[in-house]
Amino acid sequence: MNRRNFIKSGVALAMTSALPSVVLAANPSVGFDYELIVAPADVNIVPGGSTPALSFNGGYPSPVIRAKQHQPVRIRVVNKLNEPTTIHWHGMRIPIGMDGVPFLSQPPIMPGETFDYEFTPPDAGSFWYHPHMNSVEQLGKGLVGALIVDEAEKPDFDEDLVLCMKNWHIKDDGSFTALTTPQNAFRMGTPGRVMTINGDIHPTYDVPAGGAIRVRLLNVDNTLVYDVTSTDSDAQIIAIDGNPIAQPRALSNHLIAPGMRLDLGVIAPSKIGETVTFKHKNKPMVTIKTVASQLENRRLPTLPLNPIPTPDLENAETIKFAFEWNANITPIHKDGKVNYNFWTMNRRSWEGMSKGHIPAPLATLERGKTYIFELSNLTQYHHPIHIHGHTFTVLKSNKKAITPFHTDTVLLGQNETVIAALVADNPGRWMYHCHIIEHLKTGFMGYVEVS
């Protein structure tokens, strides 16, 4: 989408209050498709309250960035925070220099500095972006946004709803509660109080009656695992974590952990004023409501599959990863502050890194070779395991039946072991971690190196 059409469609959205609220990217510098300005901003989440958030381009929801499969996109990031930041493009198979992990793939973007990201998406689907520095606070206070990569040949949906799911850690007056506590970081993470879709509490969006609707649900939350259901028994799962599935299936319920995404296909009711509601554990999250249209006999378009490399399972090497609690005594720094480390990957807690210190990788992979990751959750809590720069093919689980699918974030339940394969075709040092942000910040992180 060129800039003229982007602005035109953005104005149309702004004039239609029934559609999802959208923040436009700032007028980009010459040669850039988007400009993201990272800065503090007051936003309105709860009625009558003001929340001192961190924002992209002065508000929330953040700009919806739209790119196109196989076409380059250039994004300039301007840091107006009083601390460093980066931007990670979650789920994207892009070069390591664009991955947005400080020190591992790029220098931090210091206050007052800019960084230019440029990449060509090989895959189409629903992705998102967020910093990878001071993650509990920067993500928790609003630095999260949707990145939509349109297919090279765009499917013919009548409406495309981009819905970012986020629980805000705020009081009734809009001020923040604690984003994390040690007691909760040791368990499932600190829950937010206010459940929102695109910053609104249970919004309703108008859709054309009888239309083919694409509903993109993106979990940009720090902590919450959403259990999604629908009042429409015919709602279809059409893509998981940015990757279309070969055979769409009916949605009964689906767990969407932090970092994960779910694309649903819905044929809207044919009568004007009818609704479909999507819920989390029977609590309404978002409703679509039909308005007049001339559409009849619509069917859901078929999504083309992404070009994920096929694993060579017969010649694959298996690597085992065990995810456990850290039973060691928590260390205390010289200044008296506690360095909380609660989680381990193969008995290692992430020790942090800096310009002069990069820890050893959890595994070194040979470029072009297939690997089978045996992912074992030896704890009683859920863990969404996310790998950068690659896509897993999930093969099986010891807890449930699996129809193989592609993903960048594998959700492991209590004492669950999942077998997932990948082709190590993207050279670099790739972060690999739990996407419950408090787990990440208390040890549950490492990286694999493809050489």
Side-chain angles (χ1 to χ4, degrees), residues 402-421:
I402 293 287
T403 300
F405 64 98
H406 301 307
T407 182
D408 53 77
T409 309
V410 181
L411 180 60
L412 303 180
Q414 176 183 357
N415 296 320
E416 183 177 11
T417 296
V418 165
I419 305 300

Side-chain angles (χ1 to χ4, degrees), residues 301-320:
T302 299
L303 296 181
L305 301 182
N306 282 328
I308 306 301
T310 302
D312 178 10
L313 299 179
E314 291 187 1
N315 297 298
E317 178 182 339
T318 297
I319 305 177
K320 296 184 178 182

Side-chain angles (χ1 to χ4, degrees), residues 123-185:
D123 306 318
S126 303
F127 305 95
W128 64 296
Y129 62 94
H130 62 81
H132 234 291
M133 296 197 73
N134 191 13
S135 301
V136 169
E137 181 168 344
Q138 291 195 12
L139 276 69
K141 289 190 173 182
L143 291 178
V144 290
L147 168 61
I148 304 303
V149 181
D150 290 319
E151 291 79 4
E153 297 294 331
K154 195 173 180 180
D156 185 24
F157 286 97
D158 302 303
E159 193 67 73
D160 188 336
L161 298 177
V162 179
L163 307 176
C164 288
M165 310 151 67
K166 178 173 171 58
N167 264 28
W168 288 80
H169 295 69
I170 53 177
K171 303 175 186 177
D172 292 342
D173 63 0
S175 61
F176 278 103
T177 60
L179 296 172
T180 181
T181 65
Q183 295 87 347
N184 287 316

